[in-house]
Amino acid sequence: MIRVFSVSCIVLSFLMTLSSFQHGDLSPHISPLSYHLLIDTDFTTWTYTGSVNISVQVSAEVSEIRIHVAECVAMETLALCSTSRCLSPVSLLETPSRHNTARDLLVIPLTTPLLPGNYVISSRFSGVVSSNLVGFFRTGYEVTHPYSGTKTYVNMTATHLSPDKARTVFPCFDEPHFRATFSLTLVHPADLTVTSNMPVEEAVSVGGGRTLTKFQTTPSMSTYLLAWVQHSFVYGPRTVVTAAGEVRLRHFIPRESDRNMSATVRDKLDLLQDYLEFYNEFFDIPYPLPKLDLIGIPDYLFGGMEHWGMITIGLEAAVSKDYMRFGGYEVHFRNLIAHEVAHMWFGNLVTMEWWNDIWLKEGMASLLSYTCTDAIFQDIDMTNFHMLNNWHPAMLADQKLSSHPVRLLDVDSNQEITQSFNSIAYAKGATVLAMLRHVLGKDVFQYGLNRFLDTYQYSTATYPDLVASMTTHVKDGNLIKAFMDSYILQKNYPLISVEITSNKIRLTQSRYAKTTNKTQLNDNSYHWVVPITITGFKNNKPVDLLTSDYTMMTGRNMVLQFDKTFDTIKLNLEGNMMFVTHYPLNNLNRLIDLANEAESPLSHKDRGHLVCDIFHSASINLIPYSVALEAVKFLRKEEHFLPWGLAGQYFGDLASMLDASLSVCFLGYLSHLIKPQLGHIMSTGISLEHQIMVETMLNYEKFVTKKGQDQSMKKKDWSKLKEYKSLSENERSPASILFETSKPSQIEKIGNTLVKFPCSHPSQAILDFLEFYSSASPATVWKVYRDNFEVYNEKCGKIQFVYAKALRAMISAQRDLKIVEEIERFFVTHPAGSGGLGVEEGLEAARFKIRFREESGTDIRDYLEGQGYCEVEDVIADMVSV
């Protein structure tokens, strides 16, 4: 029986939360309408000068002007003009202004209040082209002469202004709800090509080997979407006709690239065209710009960026050849481009009003990219990768007490904005939207999305706006809204415990969180409205128990009685919903038996989901790990990559929590588990699905064999390390000295080398070091980081989530409680900037692992020794021979 009466209370409490939110630094009474921006770059000194005229509308009398500009931008003049006349420029040195450097906010009091009307804010400024790969930055790539072998470094510049880095380049209203048009002009060396959001309007020589290039005006958009690249690339074009007119597609590659690149260019243009045509039809709103470019950026820290009209990705991906993209990388590349093209609508055409709703664009693009690629490519079921890359990361990220709601309530500072780009926004956002699609049905879901885009195009929107668009036209709209609110506005997710008596089941929900602090799990304020899907089995045959696709659980308890009999049930079909199920042990054993059947009635998604439920239950001591490890041995017969891929994260986490002696036994267990599939995969198939299975199993093999050996640098590695020091900054590559070694002294030497002899983009090098070596010698990596903290924070402290990711990897790998406590004390007095969330999550994970060894170590040891898995050397040797 469903207790629907609890829904009104849930809706009320969430509405109270929504109404209290405030955001932003800038006055709501001054809105930018257009920017006329000029940037003149000096490629010799790596500096630039610029000017900007911002047309603004003042809606109410104001006594001050508030505008974003970072301390690194030297403002020379600032003038306030009416539309008919301009006052004399006022030197900022003589203006009684206030500059909040922590928030990059300039506040200029006015001697006379500004009345409602239209005005122009005009400024001249200068700055330095950054080397940190954010804001307006320099980068480049190395080319080798085909005959002489001479190496040349080719310089270029690019921008990455997301989320709040436009202010580090020019004065602006750098908040997403302040949309405006941009007319960009660049002055640059005449031998370079310049690319931006819009096509070139005109290019004229200004003498001295320099060119002035003016671009067409953009549609109204947020500052973070503005972009330009100054480069030596060439491109391949294609024209596509849409309902809005012709769209010119271009894929840019370095001029010096392999001459046989026509197939590579055609491959990327095919993707752009297919995706553009799919989304045009899916959204029923044609892509509105006259062009869409794809361009690669060397040493790019981000997967991709959806600048309106110009997508940027890493250079290596941009020049990749389709016939060389094997298995998982091919899937990743397909999805990467589909994700960025989806943003042309979700994020660009309609922008979130504030960064607390970053998931509206990132979660939606993360879901729709798989919808798009699944519709276009017939060689593999792309929905498998939604489960692998959205649902599963969401379950893992949101199981922590340090997690946060999808819709953040307190996103205010620059640091909080950068930290909001994480797995909760991307993966959980996508997962909850996929749940909504399942509840509404695909057609109704698509209709709601189209309604949302049509209503808010060229504007900004919020989570309540999306919910209204999706629910006001459907039956049970309030119930569906309550379901969405419960998953979007609170962190973590439910644990559904099952009791079975005859043909009746009782479900009880509680809060699931992986923590050493069990008392926090008793917080009764956590409650979800959960779509429940169930199937029964009788004599290994499926039995339909529900008369509809799902039933909604609104109360803490729910009793369901069925007319049909069954001997086994499974909740959450194919992992469509976000909750953990804890079954009675006899039902769990029968599910394992079903998974073990030669022709299992459980789909590969259900078998993979069963693995997840088993390990999630073991993680909070609902079942012993010995039971979990025995249960998932049905994987020995598993021929689909998905269950193996899902299991891999749990096995990796478990291995990182074990002490050295027990880790050897665990490798023996894994080698036993994977051996049947290693022998099988080498003799079957060449399909994309088979390629991914081969990759998956070979990764398991590599994990077992590498972990089972004591790695030491070879003589040639030492020579390579010595050579690295003698190279110029542009020639150094961090990848060239990230050797496979587990020796602490060698790891420390590598870390100190990277700090003292940086490459042209040292932030990438030192972050790679933290992630690469933490699993081998976490204490050594911490020592290198601690001793060079100022270097790390200076180079990486403002680089969004990549810094947090590296710190999380380093801290969570620690095994010694004293070191964990030292780290906690250290960061109290040494703030980690945008890495703060990584510190918090890393400390939580490290403490959990230490407690795990105390609570579960004996159980796992008894199991592994009892099963004979501790004689790993012979097993590994035998496995390698396969």
Side-chain angles (χ1 to χ4, degrees), residues 767 770 785 789 792-794 796-809 827 831-836 838-839:
L767 289 179
L770 294 188
Y785 175 84
F789 172 76
Y792 270 91
N793 235 31
E794 177 189 350
C796 313
K798 294 184 179 180
I799 307 181
Q800 296 190 0
F801 54 87
V802 288
Y803 189 32
K805 181 171 175 280
L807 291 182
R808 185 186 309 116
F827 282 109
S834 62
V839 172

Side-chain angles (χ1 to χ4, degrees), residues 139 204 251 337 434 528 558 753 850:
T139 183
V204 296
H251 173 49
I337 307 302
W528 288 266
M558 179 179 184
T753 298
I850 291 169

Side-chain angles (χ1 to χ4, degrees), residues 656-863:
S656 72
M657 292 190 288
L658 302 175
D659 61 36
S661 61
L662 198 51
S663 181
V664 171
C665 301
F666 182 62
L667 296 179
Y669 166 84
L670 283 181
S671 64
H672 169 77
L673 203 64
I674 67 177
K675 185 178 178 181
Q677 290 306 318
L678 279 176
H680 174 69
I681 60 172
M682 298 306 179
S683 59
T684 58
I686 56 172
S687 66
L688 181 57
E689 184 172 301
H690 178 73
Q691 290 175 22
I692 296 171
M693 182 62 175
V694 170
E695 280 182 336
T696 302
M697 300 315 300
L698 291 180
N699 284 337
Y700 271 95
E701 180 191 37
K702 182 179 179 181
F703 178 81
V704 171
T705 55
K706 294 295 183 184
K707 288 287 184 180
Q709 299 172 11
D710 188 15
Q711 298 293 307
S712 183
M713 287 168 60
K714 309 295 189 295
K715 184 177 180 180
K716 64 179 180 180
D717 295 334
W718 289 111
S719 176
K720 204 173 181 183
L721 185 62
K722 184 177 179 180
E723 178 188 357
Y724 174 90
K725 298 177 183 180
S726 66
L727 299 174
S728 69
E729 286 192 16
N730 287 336
E731 293 172 321
R732 292 178 190 146
S733 165
S736 66
I737 61 167
L738 294 180
F739 309 112
E740 289 184 346
T741 175
S742 57
K743 300 289 187 181
S745 61
Q746 297 173 349
I747 291 173
E748 184 173 2
K749 187 164 186 175
I750 292 168
N752 289 329
T753 298
L754 287 167
V755 170
K756 294 175 183 176
F757 299 90
C759 64
S760 57
H761 300 295
S763 56
Q764 184 183 34
I766 56 183
L767 289 179
D768 284 348
F769 170 78
L770 294 188
E771 291 199 60
F772 192 85
Y773 290 114
S774 285
S775 61
S777 184
T780 305
V781 173
W782 161 243
K783 181 178 183 297
V784 172
Y785 175 84
R786 181 197 63 202
D787 294 347
N788 297 282
F789 172 76
E790 297 300 333
V791 175
Y792 270 91
N793 235 31
E794 177 189 350
K795 298 296 184 184
C796 313
K798 294 184 179 180
I799 307 181
Q800 296 190 0
F801 54 87
V802 288
Y803 189 32
K805 181 171 175 280
L807 291 182
R808 185 186 309 116
M810 175 188 70
I811 298 170
S812 65
Q814 302 301 323
R815 296 169 174 268
D816 188 325
L817 181 59
K818 290 182 179 179
I819 293 180
V820 173
E821 292 172 343
E822 176 194 335
I823 292 173
E824 189 167 27
R825 291 192 301 270
F826 180 87
F827 282 109
V828 170
T829 56
H830 297 74
S834 62
L837 183 60
V839 172
E840 183 182 356
E841 292 179 345
L843 286 169
E844 181 182 347
R847 290 187 181 278
F848 182 87
K849 291 177 181 180
I850 291 169
R851 177 69 65 86
F852 163 84
R853 285 193 288 274
E854 296 172 354
E855 294 180 347
S856 301
T858 301
D859 169 61
I860 295 175
R861 182 178 295 280
D862 290 346
Y863 171 76

Side-chain angles (χ1 to χ4, degrees), residues 290-303:
K291 77 168 181 73
L292 180 58
D293 295 335
L294 180 65
I295 185 166
I297 307 298
D299 303 315
Y300 206 41
L301 289 174
F302 314 94

